[in-house]
Amino acid sequence: MADSERFSYEGLFSKNSTVVAPGAALRPKYDFAVAYPDPETLPLDGLASSLKNALDRDGKDLAYYPNSAGLPSLRRLVAEKLGRDRNMTVGEDDVVLTSGSGEAIGMLIQALTDPGDVVLTEEFFYLGTMRQMRRFGTDVVGVKCDYEGIIPQELEATLERQAGLGKKVKYLYTIPCFQNPLGWTMTLERRKQVLEITRRHGIPVFEDDCYVDLRFEGEDVTSFHSLDDTGSVIYVGSFSKILAPGMRMGYMVAPPEVIQRAMSFKAGGGVNQFAALAIEEYLKDNMYQHIEEENRALVVKRDAMIASLGENFGSAATWLVPQGGLYVWVEMPEGTDLAAFQEQSFREGVGFYNGTMFSPEGRGANLARLCFGHPPAETVYEGVAEWARILDRNGLLRG
Ligand SMILES: Cc1ncc(COP(=O)(O)O)c(C=O)c1O
């Protein structure tokens, strides 16, 4: 069809809409940019036979539109898991299933903020959440952290600064376990201090716990939710990291008044019942055995990344060895511009995301997040060595 015959949407788009570029076409040989889990331990046979069992039993229910909060038996399984693993006292009615935790995060952002409202976050945090906050016009302010988590004095000072500006802070968003991208887990002491401050200032904590199950070593730290008996903690979790992002299944746990508001932003009526049936049927008997198997694969990849960083970067960079999760956060000397170099690194075969992408203020050009979850361990090892060679060739490896 000739261009002149094409229909024009000029003048028809809403003011809210923005242009989203199609997914990245560039797939580097060594891809450490996106946080995919291990593909080899995906329980494909288990999921297929679980789906078959569930369909034999409940398949005719697919003729109905699903429950808008999601499959009740999967919500019950989530509530029981959170009771066992996160010390949370919740029932199935406190849980809403969503299309990945990303949908839950978007619903909560819309329920809690108007354009121009201020929200607080860790100084570097998951860019998917930052994008959604920005999309709904939220003013995002980062709070300084150290290896134990959010620094309480910094949180207090930030809240006072915002109050001085006449701004109401709507919530504190935190990723307290295997923080994305920083890699640490917030200590119990810090969680208590943070909660004392947020409660005193009358703001809720928005706890994003999607990596909690990917622990390779060390002790679990209890959830913010379990430390609060006032309803001031909103919790989101995901099946993306313990099963697969392709399943698109996550959840929120919140007081009824928050759920009722958030539900007004739920699109599409419930979640995919096919995925929910397969997940429930599979995980009710296999959850912990599967998580253990996945973590056994992931820790080998983490160790390969750490070994290769040690051998190829020496004193040219520093990094935290995470006790779980999917990332290593690498710090190069001040002045190293990894932001300007990122695209070229992709083109030369190694994908990574630089720190500025995770900072509300756009800081951190000398920082990088490297994800070790998806490639095999040998490829992780080789890829880090290749990254060092590329950086060196481009004059960015000093030390
Ligand atoms: C901290 C954090 N929260 C939420 C998500 C969204 O995950 P999903 O929508 O697949 O559940 C991610 C994905 O990487 C993440 O890192």
Side-chain angles (χ1 to χ4, degrees):
M1 194 188 290
D3 263 3
S4 57
E5 293 171 34
R6 281 184 59 79
F7 183 80
S8 170
Y9 286 87
E10 192 70 36
L12 295 176
F13 292 116
S14 72
K15 290 191 194 67
N16 276 337
S17 62
T18 54
V19 178
V20 176
L26 216 52
R27 280 236 175 266
K29 177 169 180 201
Y30 302 104
D31 191 357
F32 301 136
V34 183
Y36 304 119
D38 175 51
E40 301 308 321
T41 47
L42 288 186
L44 299 179
D45 292 342
L47 283 168
S49 60
S50 298
L51 178 62
K52 170 85 172 70
N53 289 345
L55 288 179
D56 287 346
R57 193 185 56 232
D58 299 325
K60 295 207 167 111
D61 288 352
L62 289 171
Y64 301 116
Y65 278 95
N67 184 309
S68 60
L71 187 72
S73 55
L74 182 54
R75 281 158 46 212
R76 204 151 46 242
L77 185 107
V78 168
E80 286 162 10
K81 177 186 188 314
L82 295 177
R84 247 185 341 260
D85 298 343
R86 308 305 292 137
N87 305 316
M88 290 165 58
T89 313
V90 291
E92 74 183 72
D93 291 342
D94 304 306
V95 179
V96 175
L97 300 178
T98 51
S99 172
S101 57
E103 187 188 27
I105 291 168
M107 288 161 65
L108 289 160
I109 289 171
Q110 291 175 85
L112 291 166
T113 43
D114 287 308
D117 281 346
V118 176
V119 302
L120 306 189
T121 66
E122 281 129 4
E123 60 182 321
F124 295 96
F125 74 108
Y126 171 50
L127 70 158
T129 298
M130 182 156 38
R131 282 188 188 133
Q132 295 215 66
M133 289 170 170
R134 292 249 160 88
R135 186 167 143 229
F136 298 114
T138 316
D139 189 0
V140 188
V141 177
V143 181
K144 251 188 133 11
C145 301
D146 59 18
Y147 288 137
E148 294 184 14
I150 292 173
I151 302 172
Q153 296 78 354
E154 296 283 342
L155 175 60
E156 188 88 60
T158 309
L159 283 162
E160 275 159 22
R161 245 190 332 272
Q162 291 300 324
L165 295 169
K167 295 274 196 171
K168 168 88 182 133
V169 172
K170 298 304 273 298
Y171 57 79
L172 168 69
Y173 172 82
T174 174
I175 308 162
C177 292
F178 311 122
Q179 207 271 3
N180 177 6
L182 299 169
W184 44 249
T185 292
M186 203 179 315
T187 62
L188 179 60
E189 191 52 31
R190 282 290 171 85
R191 289 179 198 228
K192 289 181 179 164
Q193 290 170 318
V194 165
L195 197 55
E196 188 279 316
I197 295 169
T198 53
R199 290 206 326 204
R200 184 154 39 75
H201 285 264
I203 64 167
V205 170
F206 184 162
E207 177 174 24
D208 181 347
D209 219 13
C210 81
Y211 294 102
V212 64
D213 294 298
L214 304 186
R215 176 172 285 285
F216 319 145
E217 60 218 9
E219 290 299 310
D220 257 342
V221 182
T222 198
S223 60
F224 269 100
H225 193 284
S226 70
L227 297 171
D228 173 62
D229 56 4
T230 69
S232 80
V233 178
I234 296 166
Y235 184 96
V236 299
S238 178
F239 291 105
S240 289
K241 311 300 170 183
I242 61 165
L243 274 178
M247 305 289 292
R248 303 315 300 133
M249 192 65 67
Y251 47 89
M252 72 168 82
V253 175
E257 63 272 33
V258 177
I259 286 190
Q260 284 158 14
R261 293 285 180 144
M263 285 305 275
S264 64
F265 299 101
K266 176 93 185 76
V271 291
N272 184 321
Q273 188 95 334
F274 242 61
L277 284 168
I279 291 173
E280 195 271 332
E281 184 74 13
Y282 177 73
L283 287 185
K284 72 178 186 210
D285 296 322
N286 301 291
M287 177 156 36
Y288 295 104
Q289 169 225 315
H290 169 65
I291 291 172
E292 257 179 48
E293 193 182 329
E294 184 182 358
N295 284 341
R296 270 200 302 277
L298 286 175
V299 72
V300 175
K301 300 182 187 207
R302 180 208 60 182
D303 290 347
M305 182 166 273
I306 297 297
S308 195
L309 280 167
E311 284 163 36
N312 295 289
F313 283 72
S315 60
T318 55
W319 52 88
L320 174 79
V321 181
Q323 292 190 322
L326 297 173
Y327 319 106
V328 178
W329 185 238
V330 177
E331 181 167 356
M332 310 270 295
E334 209 51 65
T336 312
D337 195 349
L338 296 175
F341 175 66
Q342 180 171 306
E343 205 180 308
Q344 187 177 341
S345 182
F346 267 81
R347 274 200 304 271
E348 293 195 29
V350 181
F352 74 95
Y353 281 163
N354 80 87
T356 63
M357 298 174 72
F358 305 96
S359 156
E361 293 84 23
R363 290 188 301 108
N366 60 321
L367 300 161
R369 188 191 75 175
L370 303 181
C371 304
F372 52 77
H374 195 268
E378 314 77 68
T379 312
V380 170
Y381 186 87
E382 277 167 33
V384 172
E386 178 64 9
W387 197 46
R389 282 192 289 275
I390 297 174
L391 286 163
D392 197 26
R393 249 195 336 264
N394 288 277
L396 289 167
L397 202 65
R398 293 174 274 143

